[in-house]
């Protein structure tokens, strides 16, 4: 089932405020390559990167570590068309991959893809969910939300790239599910998975899972041998109770 009277009911149209805002990143070209050169760059506060795609040859560049660290925690950085200021010229690009140090807050390498105004790009953008806690399925019916997808790959021209796709859950009830094709997209934007016939679930509301009963039977079974050991066998005297470590009046002064 889907929220509301039909599939897509209660979903907001993508507002203009969700359209892309520009991000600018400074870069310098470099000629040195190899692991040794990359280590020297990192010690100098630089990040080795590569710019490829479009109509140009792959280009080795460097980015400023400090500037990158202010951006890597922002989801917009990964789903934006970036203005790369390279050697005094502006080039449009998108982030294809970022390698982070496994133990340090340090960017190790960045892959960037050139963007041309007349060529469609494929890029993952986040899904923003609205009215999660106030929809009937959660607020009055006690359901729990399962986010099955938190981002979607879209295809569009750079000028049509939205900041995010939004799903309004305002009319969702218990056991409702919203699928890919229920999500409205701005003009010029398509979802490649739908073109491939993959209409997968994105978010659903389900009943809370019942808690497993505590293993009372196992606890009782474990206690039985101890209780049985305290009973006297036929023809034997009952075992005497263990002497207290201290008896009243028996202690020496």
């Amino acid at each position: 089932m889907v929220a509301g009277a039909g599939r897509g009911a209660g979903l907001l149209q993508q507002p203009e405020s969700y359209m892309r805002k520009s991000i600018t990143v400074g870069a310098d070209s470099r000629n040195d390559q190899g692991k040794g050169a990359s280590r020297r760059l990192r010690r100098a506060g630089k990040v080795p990167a590569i710019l490829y795609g479009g109509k140009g040859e792959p280009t080795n560049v460097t980015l400023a570590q400090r500037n990158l660290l202010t951006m890597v925690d922002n989801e917009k950085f990964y789903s934006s068309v970036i203005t790369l200021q390279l050697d005094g010229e502006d080039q449009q690009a998108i982030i294809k991959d970022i390698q982070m140090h496994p133990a340090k807050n340090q960017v190790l390498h960045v892959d960037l893809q050139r963007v041309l105004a007349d060529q469609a790009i494929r890029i993952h953008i986040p899904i923003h969910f609205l009215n999660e806690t106030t929809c009937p399925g959660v607020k009055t019916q006690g359901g729990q939300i399962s986010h099955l997808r938190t981002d979607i790959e879209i295809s569009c021209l750079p000028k049509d790239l939205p900041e995010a796709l939004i799903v309004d859950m305002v009319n969702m009830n218990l056991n409702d599910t919203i699928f890919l094709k229920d999500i409205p997209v701005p003009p010029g934007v398509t979802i490649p998975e739908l073109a491939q016939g993959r209409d997968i679930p994105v978010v659903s509301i389900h009943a809370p899972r019942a808690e497993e009963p505590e293993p009372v039977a196992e606890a009782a079974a474990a206690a039985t041998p101890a209780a049985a050991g305290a009973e006297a066998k036929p023809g034997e005297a009952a075992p005497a109770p263990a002497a207290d470590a201290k008896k009243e009046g028996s202690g020496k002064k």
Side-chain angles (χ1 to χ4, degrees):
M1 296 181 64
V2 183
R7 297 185 64 147
L11 303 182
L12 289 181
Q13 297 298 316
Q14 303 300 322
E16 292 184 1
S17 61
Y18 271 69
M19 299 310 290
R20 179 61 52 202
K21 297 177 178 62
S22 177
I23 295 177
T24 301
V25 178
D28 298 308
S29 59
R30 61 185 175 95
N31 296 320
D32 52 348
Q33 301 182 43
K35 294 183 178 179
S38 295
R39 284 194 292 267
R40 288 192 294 272
L41 286 171
R42 295 184 188 111
R43 285 197 294 268
K46 302 291 185 178
V47 178
I50 185 168
L51 175 66
Y52 61 87
K55 297 180 180 179
E57 294 294 324
T59 303
N60 293 311
V61 302
T62 60
L63 309 173
Q65 179 77 239
R66 182 175 298 180
N67 290 344
L68 280 179
L69 289 178
T70 65
M71 302 177 187
V72 293
D73 290 333
N74 188 341
E75 66 177 16
K76 298 177 184 179
F77 185 55
Y78 303 92
S79 56
S80 296
V81 173
I82 295 169
T83 299
L84 195 67
Q85 294 181 333
L86 178 60
D87 297 335
E89 295 184 1
D90 290 351
Q91 297 193 36
Q92 304 300 304
I94 57 175
I95 299 293
K96 296 301 290 185
D97 185 54
I98 291 184
Q99 298 177 24
M100 299 292 297
H101 193 284
K104 301 177 182 178
N105 187 28
Q106 181 184 23
V107 182
L108 298 180
H109 193 273
V110 180
D111 289 359
L112 301 125
Q113 179 182 320
R114 291 187 185 91
V115 169
L116 301 179
D118 59 348
Q119 292 185 5
I121 57 174
R122 291 177 63 152
I123 187 171
H124 284 263
I125 65 172
I127 306 171
H128 291 175
F129 298 92
L130 305 182
N131 295 308
E132 292 181 281
T133 59
T134 58
C135 65
V138 173
K139 185 174 182 180
T140 61
Q141 298 165 11
Q144 293 182 345
I145 297 173
S146 289
H147 295 104
L148 308 173
R149 292 288 291 271
T150 57
D151 63 77
I152 298 176
E153 185 184 41
I154 64 169
S155 176
C156 65
L157 292 176
K159 69 180 181 64
D160 297 324
L161 180 62
E163 182 176 298
L165 294 182
I166 59 175
V167 172
D168 191 353
M169 300 174 58
V170 64
N171 292 327
M172 288 191 72
N173 292 291
L174 193 65
N175 298 323
D176 279 352
T177 299
I178 290 176
F179 291 79
L180 270 184
K181 74 177 184 180
D182 298 320
I183 301 179
V185 295
V189 176
T190 61
I191 299 176
E193 284 180 289
L194 289 179
Q196 299 166 4
R198 299 186 66 237
D199 185 22
I200 62 176
V202 173
V203 62
S204 65
I205 299 180
H206 57 83
R209 294 179 176 85
E211 296 183 0
E212 295 184 3
E214 295 184 4
V216 177
E218 293 182 8
T224 300
E231 297 178 358
K233 295 181 180 179
E236 293 183 0
D244 294 334
K246 292 183 180 181
K247 293 184 180 180
E248 185 177 355
S250 61
K252 294 182 180 180
K253 295 182 179 180

